[in-house]
Amino acid sequence: REKQNQVVKTVFKKAIKDTKKNPSVKKVSIAFKIIDKATKKGIIHKNKASRIKSRMTKLANNAKKGRVSIKKV
């Protein structure tokens, strides 16, 4: 179980890092699925998941408008 959780956590972190580097609607959508899986398995708290998803959406919207501001997510 610990190894399974570690794999999910690693994929979760990688998805966030990829999305921060190059935010797009497709990457955000994929990251949301991974975040939801991690939340469902109890690896991250639902409020943390919500906060991360909100920040990623804001980042993607700003990138779409042409203003990219990378902050710590």
Side-chain angles (χ1 to χ4, degrees), residues 1 5 9 11 16 19 22 24 30 32 35 38 40 43-44 60-61 69-71:
R1 181 179 214 106
N5 288 348
K9 200 176 227 181
V11 172
I16 291 174
T19 307
N22 188 9
S24 68
I30 292 169
F32 278 13
I35 291 168
K40 186 175 180 183
I43 294 171
I44 60 170
N61 288 339
S69 170
I70 299 177
K71 293 183 180 178

Side-chain angles (χ1 to χ4, degrees), residues 27-70:
K27 284 191 178 187
V28 169
S29 175
I30 292 169
F32 278 13
K33 289 179 186 177
I34 294 168
I35 291 168
D36 288 337
K37 283 182 185 179
T39 304
K40 186 175 180 183
K41 291 186 177 198
I43 294 171
I44 60 170
H45 194 272
K46 65 178 184 174
N47 290 348
K48 179 175 181 171
S50 179
R51 184 177 64 242
I52 291 170
K53 287 165 71 172
S54 172
R55 289 178 182 170
M56 290 173 89
T57 303
K58 192 186 298 185
L59 191 67
N61 288 339
N62 285 340
K64 211 187 305 183
K65 291 178 184 176
R67 325 173 248 182
V68 178
S69 170
I70 299 177

Side-chain angles (χ1 to χ4, degrees), residues 4-15:
Q4 289 173 339
N5 288 348
Q6 192 62 38
V7 168
V8 173
K9 200 176 227 181
T10 303
V11 172
F12 165 74
K13 288 180 181 179
K14 188 180 267 189

